[in-house]
Amino acid sequence: MGFIAGGEQRGTAADMFRRIFWDTALAASDPVLRMLRDVAGIKQVLYGTDFPHLRRDLAINCKQRILQSSELNNSERRAILGGNASNLFQAPIPSFAKCDFRVENNAI
């Protein structure tokens, strides 16, 4: 797999899961977020929406589910909603991904 650094090295499926990046498009439920954290590690998870192919309201709902997830702590939310992508692409967080990180009137 030439697009993954070191992809020519053989390893287990679990090793590969920890080396690739995962996005949350249409899959930002608590069970999925827990599985991604446990199997791949939070640093491998990116906020994804499939917008514009997905309706805008559903893309926004994906972000809200991440913000309200009981599976994530504040630093994990920040990582998924922009920090990981910013590090991966070595670029600033796009304006559509920025948020105030408020969950039920509690500032994060």
Side-chain angles (χ1 to χ4, degrees):
M1 297 173 69
F3 60 90
I4 298 174
E8 67 282 351
Q9 298 171 350
R10 296 274 180 190
T12 65
D15 292 332
M16 187 57 73
F17 291 156
R18 288 186 289 272
R19 293 171 57 203
I20 61 177
F21 289 88
W22 303 83
D23 77 38
T24 59
L26 294 173
S29 66
D30 279 350
V32 171
L33 293 168
R34 181 181 333 112
M35 182 274 308
L36 287 172
R37 183 185 55 232
D38 294 348
V39 173
I42 238 30
K43 290 183 178 182
Q44 300 301 109
V45 182
L46 308 171
Y47 170 61
T49 63
D50 282 349
F51 183 80
H53 306 292
L54 180 68
R55 289 188 344 235
R56 185 176 188 276
D57 62 316
L58 296 175
I60 290 169
N61 180 269
C62 175
K63 181 177 172 180
Q64 287 303 107
R65 289 180 18 203
I66 292 169
L67 285 170
Q68 296 170 353
S69 173
S70 62
E71 290 296 325
L72 303 173
N73 63 41
N74 297 343
S75 64
E76 291 171 330
R77 285 185 188 93
R78 284 188 186 97
I80 292 171
L81 289 172
N84 292 341
S86 182
N87 292 337
L88 176 64
F89 297 112
Q90 298 178 354
I93 300 168
S95 61
F96 68 84
K98 291 181 181 176
C99 61
D100 63 8
F101 290 99
R102 293 186 189 275
V103 178
E104 300 179 87
N105 299 323
N106 296 322
I108 295 177

